Amino acid sequence: EKIKEDKFSILDKIKEIDPKQKVQFTLSIAISNEGKNDKDKYKSAQTAMDIVLGRGGDQAVVKTQDKFEFYGGKSKAVEKTTKVKSRLIGYALKEVISQSNNIYIMGHKYPDLDAMGAAVGIFDICKSCGKSANIVLDQVNDSIEEFVKRVKKQEYYKGLFITCEEAIKNCNKDTVVIVVDTHRPSYTECQELLNIAKKVIVIDHHRRGVEFIKDTVLLFHEIYVSSTCEMVTELIQYLEEDVKINKLTAEGLLAGINLDTKFFAFKTGVRTFEAASYLKKIGADTVETKML
């Protein structure tokens, strides 16, 4: 209670340490009294620590009977310069897709261009692996209307969109569900699919909340990244020799990056520009993207 009153001032004291290298020290703390014995409490604290690190670290969380209290978290998310994780996830994603016959991709409810661009990007990866996939979409809203209209006109994407009802009917435990641009079960376009399918993949860039999709076969969650479209573009880059990307897909991915960075003003790192230049190289038209 004393430390809580002090608002965990130790978090700021750690940052005052001046290392010889250009590294910023931060501290992450997780405290829990949830559970009957010490082992349960330790497990609960470990879960809380995963949440703290998923929110960018440099903060403390106190967990008491399903209630989370957060302290600190003032430092900015720092972009990682190494792309090792993207490469590993890229290969693992290809493996899972290659072994699956039924693939559903979905974003969050009321999707925006970041969710829809990323979903179509994943569809192109599936298509390049010789697999068909569907995007689960119940309602089209203003922000994606133009993009969806263009997608539906092209033969390349024939039969791409299906409703929640159809997806639930055809979903089984061998189905792979790929969730983009959200990690919260209740935010997804069709939460029931998560309960039916045994294989769930999550690709997201939002700070981790308390509610999280559990037991994923693959989790690509990076909070310093500008957008989910940037993450999907990196995955495509690593599978480049095998993946063919349609021009409209490239424009959808670039539009998603534009939207989430407010045209490269916010949360824009070196890798954001690299992703954008790659999309331009493979055929994205900047004027068309702007119109989306």
Side-chain angles (χ1 to χ4, degrees):
E1 289 303 321
K2 233 182 197 166
I3 300 170
K4 272 163 69 174
E5 270 171 44
D6 194 24
K7 299 249 188 302
F8 284 86
S9 61
I10 187 168
L11 296 173
D12 294 324
K13 286 180 191 143
I14 290 283
K15 279 187 275 190
E16 285 162 18
I17 298 172
D18 187 21
K20 298 287 176 279
Q21 299 83 11
K22 288 182 181 170
V23 188
Q24 164 101 69
F25 286 138
T26 61
L27 183 65
S28 299
I29 302 170
I31 296 169
S32 174
N33 72 349
E34 191 182 47
K36 291 190 175 78
N37 52 42
D38 285 351
K39 194 182 175 188
D40 290 348
K41 287 173 189 175
Y42 178 68
K43 260 190 168 168
S44 172
Q46 265 192 319
T47 309
M49 181 57 89
D50 286 343
I51 291 174
V52 166
L53 296 175
R55 288 165 60 90
D58 178 39
Q59 52 197 285
V61 61
V62 178
K63 186 171 191 243
T64 51
Q65 305 310 328
D66 286 338
K67 194 169 149 236
F68 291 84
E69 289 175 72
F70 293 99
Y71 299 86
K74 293 182 194 137
S75 68
K76 263 173 77 180
V78 181
E79 182 186 35
K80 292 180 188 163
T81 49
T82 163
K83 295 183 182 176
V84 174
K85 192 168 181 185
S86 299
R87 188 161 66 235
L88 294 174
I89 296 274
Y91 291 138
L93 179 67
K94 197 176 156 194
E95 277 300 289
V96 177
I97 288 169
S98 301
Q99 293 162 11
S100 312
N101 291 322
N102 197 9
I103 303 163
Y104 291 137
I105 307 157
M106 64 177 170
H108 48 77
K109 286 187 178 100
Y110 312 110
D112 54 11
L113 273 171
D114 188 30
M116 203 37 64
V120 175
I122 295 289
F123 165 77
D124 272 32
I125 293 176
C126 295
K127 205 172 166 89
S128 299
C129 294
K131 301 289 179 181
S132 65
N134 295 100
I135 294 175
V136 182
L137 181 67
D138 256 358
Q139 282 176 315
V140 177
N141 59 57
D142 292 350
S143 63
I144 58 164
E145 191 176 12
E146 180 60 30
F147 182 55
V148 170
K149 205 157 63 184
R150 290 185 190 193
V151 166
K152 283 180 175 173
K153 272 184 194 165
Q154 289 199 20
E155 185 64 27
Y156 178 85
Y157 303 104
K158 197 174 178 194
L160 176 60
F161 298 107
I162 59 165
T163 62
C164 288
E165 207 177 307
E166 287 175 277
I168 292 166
K169 206 160 65 183
N170 299 316
C171 186
N172 56 49
K173 64 179 195 307
D174 296 324
T175 302
V176 174
V177 176
I178 304 173
V179 178
V180 292
D181 206 31
T182 182
H183 58 259
R184 301 181 176 197
S186 62
Y187 277 35
T188 55
E189 185 73 45
C190 184
Q191 192 176 345
E192 280 172 67
L193 294 180
L194 303 175
N195 304 327
I196 305 168
K198 287 280 176 277
K199 293 182 199 162
V200 178
I201 295 170
V202 174
I203 302 171
D204 187 30
H205 70 112
H206 294 100
R207 275 195 173 223
R208 182 163 170 171
V210 173
E211 188 196 0
F212 202 82
I213 296 170
K214 293 184 178 73
D215 305 324
T216 51
V217 290
L218 204 54
L219 174 65
F220 191 17
H221 187 219
E222 302 287 5
I223 62 157
Y224 59 85
V225 179
S226 73
S227 54
T228 312
C229 282
E230 182 187 325
M231 295 168 81
V232 172
T233 304
E234 280 196 359
L235 295 178
I236 290 166
Q237 277 174 284
Y238 278 116
L239 304 168
E240 191 180 11
E241 65 277 13
D242 313 317
V243 176
K244 298 282 175 284
I245 295 298
N246 194 26
K247 178 177 177 288
L248 184 55
T249 300
E251 283 162 6
L253 287 164
L254 187 55
I257 294 173
N258 282 345
L259 176 85
D260 272 19
T261 59
K262 296 190 170 42
F263 288 93
F264 302 96
F266 292 99
K267 271 191 100 171
T268 305
V270 177
R271 287 164 68 170
T272 316
F273 288 111
E274 281 175 9
S277 85
Y278 170 76
L279 292 168
K280 182 83 179 105
K281 190 175 90 180
I282 58 171
D285 184 321
T286 43
V287 177
E288 294 293 330
T289 303
K290 175 88 173 150
M291 286 167 80
L292 289 176

